[in-house]
Amino acid sequence: ILISDLQKAIENQTGLRSYRNRRSLSGYNYEVYHSLEEIQGWMHHLNKTHSDLVHMFSVGKSYEGRPLFVLKLGKRSRPYKKAVWIDCGIHAREWIGPAFCQWFVKEALQTYQTDPAMRKMLTQLYFYIMPVFNVDGYHFSWTNDRFWRKTRSKNARFRCHGVDANRNWKVKWCDEGASFHPCDDTYCGPFPESEPEVKAVAHFLRKHRKQIKAYLSFHAYAQMLLYPYSYKYATIPNFSCVESAAYNAVNALQSAYGVRYRYGPASSTLYVSSGSSMDWAYKNGIPYAFAFELRDTGHFGFLLPETLIKPTCTETMLAVKNITLHLLKKCH
């Protein structure tokens, strides 16, 4: 038995805690999980208070009509800069993802003045950060079903809701590792980009494909750093660059708390899956495409305790900085 009282564990994370100060963001707590409303309020606040480095915009609307907010982070030093895309929360129940996206922004803003590496990153690059990709699903995981994974779109023929937003991309769509059945957790949807969330992000990435050099997506759980391909066992053309970036990132991550991550092509390291955002990004000309599977390896699973947010984010931050600096060095 891993968790003796599952209901209690869930309530510990979703219960409306009185110690949260919802008014002020100076006291925003990055070591607890936040609801969608809190995260969006936090984004609005940063947009107002850090307008020199932060610009908030929306790439579209979700199935249920929520805005899909993205933070553009970086120094407006010159009109054209390369960029890194980071998204979290494609799968609703993987709460550590959105927690990391927020942590990344906090670290960037807090250490920009003092850390030369961060300064270099924000001067030479833009970061597009989407803390919650699957906003409807994430909201639903707070209000109805803590273990919800998919989007919340309705199906005409079945009573089941939602599509797996990481099987809905136009790359080997609905092949191996995805399901045609609407009630399955890996349902690929009626057609590629059927989900407005996927369509909106794909449209944005297509529009900026010349600028965006890295795509990073954050999932849980397995402690892995994955790169393409997901849908087949084959070696990517720029394998040596991507492989060395992954190797160095995993070593940097391990240096914090000794946590070991496996790394490699998603198909052989995790499992074969088709229609994933990482494969799509790579196929669309983004040379560095990675998916992180954050802590842990299954003891807590999706219910990673809030006490582990800080160590998880701290070590992951090292890996992300490592990949970003690798990108600036230009690997041939």
Side-chain angles (χ1 to χ4, degrees):
I1 294 169
L2 297 178
I3 299 172
S4 54
D5 189 340
L6 184 63
Q7 185 62 31
K8 191 161 185 276
I10 292 172
E11 282 163 7
N12 283 346
Q13 291 185 359
T14 48
L16 289 176
R17 286 158 286 192
S18 54
Y19 67 79
R20 288 197 182 172
N21 182 350
R22 288 162 180 273
R23 297 296 81 80
S24 108
L25 268 164
S26 54
Y28 195 78
N29 189 351
Y30 291 89
E31 295 179 36
V32 298
Y33 295 118
H34 290 279
S35 67
L36 182 67
E37 293 72 19
E38 288 173 318
I39 295 171
Q40 291 186 339
W42 167 84
M43 292 172 84
H44 279 289
H45 178 82
L46 290 185
N47 191 45
K48 279 212 297 276
T49 55
H50 291 82
S51 54
D52 54 329
L53 287 173
V54 176
H55 167 63
M56 174 175 154
F57 62 97
S58 163
V59 292
K61 278 199 160 40
S62 70
Y63 180 83
E64 292 178 345
R66 295 182 174 89
L68 302 169
F69 287 128
V70 174
L71 294 176
K72 182 183 183 181
L73 187 63
K75 199 97 187 97
R76 297 189 193 100
S77 43
R78 49 182 182 272
Y80 177 82
K81 292 206 297 186
K82 289 178 189 170
V84 173
W85 170 276
I86 295 178
D87 64 49
C88 298
I90 277 189
H91 292 140
R93 61 194 175 191
E94 299 167 11
W95 286 9
I96 188 60
F100 173 72
C101 263
Q102 294 175 85
W103 189 277
F104 179 88
V105 174
K106 161 191 85 86
E107 282 295 300
L109 296 176
Q110 282 178 358
T111 65
Y112 169 71
Q113 299 292 352
T114 52
D115 174 16
M118 185 59 77
R119 202 178 185 82
K120 182 179 179 182
M121 284 161 57
L122 294 184
T123 306
Q124 298 190 15
L125 297 162
Y126 280 125
F127 290 85
Y128 293 108
I129 296 152
M130 189 176 201
V132 189
F133 184 110
N134 176 8
V135 286
D136 298 347
Y138 186 73
H139 180 75
F140 190 76
S141 74
W142 274 76
T143 55
N144 292 70
D145 176 356
R146 176 63 183 84
F147 295 105
W148 188 255
R149 168 181 167 101
K150 299 188 284 183
T151 62
R152 292 295 300 159
S153 53
K154 287 192 178 69
N155 188 289
R157 286 181 42 235
F158 291 84
R159 302 273 282 280
C160 305
H161 283 256
V163 165
D164 183 342
N166 208 32
R167 300 290 184 277
N168 190 235
W169 299 72
K170 203 171 183 170
V171 54
K172 263 290 183 280
W173 176 78
C174 222
D175 209 320
E176 197 181 338
S179 167
F180 272 117
H181 199 289
C183 297
D184 287 347
D185 253 355
T186 54
Y187 175 46
C188 59
F191 53 88
E193 293 182 27
S194 63
E195 303 312 283
E197 301 85 355
V198 173
K199 194 181 170 71
V201 172
H203 174 71
F204 179 84
L205 293 174
R206 269 193 295 265
K207 211 167 75 182
H208 296 85
R209 75 169 85 183
K210 285 200 162 49
Q211 177 196 21
I212 296 173
K213 298 299 172 196
Y215 172 90
L216 308 178
S217 194
F218 289 85
H219 295 254
Y221 56 91
Q223 292 175 195
M224 290 176 180
L225 175 51
L226 308 169
Y227 49 82
Y229 297 100
S230 283
Y231 69 87
K232 64 177 177 183
Y233 300 108
T235 305
I236 51 175
N238 62 338
F239 171 78
S240 57
C241 287
V242 170
E243 166 85 356
S244 67
Y247 169 80
N248 291 329
V250 163
N251 281 343
L253 186 146
Q254 192 179 339
S255 72
Y257 302 99
V259 171
R260 300 180 88 96
Y261 268 50
R262 290 171 57 200
Y263 67 96
S267 53
S268 53
T269 311
L270 186 57
Y271 47 61
V272 172
S273 69
S274 52
S276 76
S277 66
M278 177 182 72
D279 279 351
W280 183 92
Y282 187 75
K283 284 287 217 190
N284 276 268
I286 300 175
Y288 289 86
F290 291 101
F292 279 81
E293 294 283 351
L294 300 179
R295 293 198 199 185
D296 56 7
T297 52
H299 181 94
F300 296 111
F302 301 118
L303 288 180
L304 195 72
E306 291 179 320
T307 50
L308 293 180
I309 293 176
K310 184 180 182 175
T312 302
C313 291
T314 302
E315 68 193 8
T316 307
M317 197 72 202
L318 296 174
V320 173
K321 282 171 81 170
N322 204 282
I323 289 171
T324 306
L325 296 167
H326 179 99
L327 184 76
L328 289 172
K329 279 207 275 287
K330 261 215 176 17
C331 175
H332 294 292

